[in-house]
Each structure stands twice: as C-alpha cells, then as structure tokens.
Amino acid sequence: SSSSRMTRSYQPCTGSQDPKTKPDKDSVYGLARAVLDCATVLQAASQAGDRAENSSLQDVQQLIYRRRNLQNLREDGSVDFRQLVSLRVLSLSHNVLVDLGPVAELP
C-alpha cells in the first residue's frame, strides 16, 4: 500500500558539505559504506571532468561513482535524483547496490 512507502527528507545541497561515509563492519573493497549525498555528487562530477561549474546538482552532466562500497541510494542524506536534471551519464558499477529505485526518479 502507498501508506507503507518509505519517505525520506532531502536536504538542500551546497558545495561546501563534506562527503559522508558510515562505518560498516561488512566493508567491501576495504572502504567504509558510502552515502551518495550532494557534496559527493558534486565532487565526483568534477573528478569525472564535467566541464560545467558544478555549483548545483542541476548542473551535473556526468556522475561516475565506481568501487565505493555504495549499498543504498535511499540512505539518510542521499541525493534527490529528481534534482539531476542535466545528468546524461551515470555509472555506479562495482558497488554493492541492492535497490536502484531512486534512479527511476531521474527526469
């Protein structure tokens, strides 16, 4: 039923936040469990060579986030995929994702 659907709050994104990780005893690739938050998206986009000045999620065209022990796209503080209106390339390979549901929210 729709009343049992999990809701989460989205936080506004600013480029000044530090990327978040959560300690996890079941770490994969020797990394702490990652959270794909706003700051992480902006940092990954700039490392992928996204030529736009990524001051906001709306500017991000490429998001390459591989081998980061990313397990859940619904983690508290995760990015709101609906804000990635310019996204053309998304690569989340070699993570341990169990649900890609939030990706369906991409415009």
Side-chain angles (χ1 to χ4, degrees), residues 34-54:
V35 176
L36 193 58
D37 60 11
C38 294
T40 302
V41 168
L42 295 174
Q43 182 180 40
S46 101
Q47 289 174 350
D50 201 336
R51 297 180 75 74
E53 292 293 324
N54 292 320

Side-chain angles (χ1 to χ4, degrees), residues 5-13 36 38 41 56-60 63 73-74 78-88 90 100-107:
R5 187 175 185 188
M6 188 171 125
T7 60
R8 71 187 156 121
S9 59
Y10 295 107
Q11 300 172 356
C13 182
L36 193 58
C38 294
V41 168
S56 73
L57 291 176
Q58 292 82 9
D59 298 330
V60 173
L63 175 54
L73 298 176
R74 297 181 196 274
S78 292
V79 68
D80 178 355
F81 279 86
R82 295 172 296 187
Q83 293 181 12
L84 298 170
V85 296
S86 299
L87 190 67
R88 299 293 173 254
L90 174 64
L100 295 174
V103 174
E105 298 173 3
L106 285 168

Side-chain angles (χ1 to χ4, degrees), residues 17-33:
Q17 298 170 320
D18 290 326
K20 295 178 179 62
T21 58
K22 292 190 172 194
D24 189 355
K25 65 181 175 112
D26 298 320
S27 178
V28 177
Y29 304 120
L31 300 170
R33 189 172 72 206

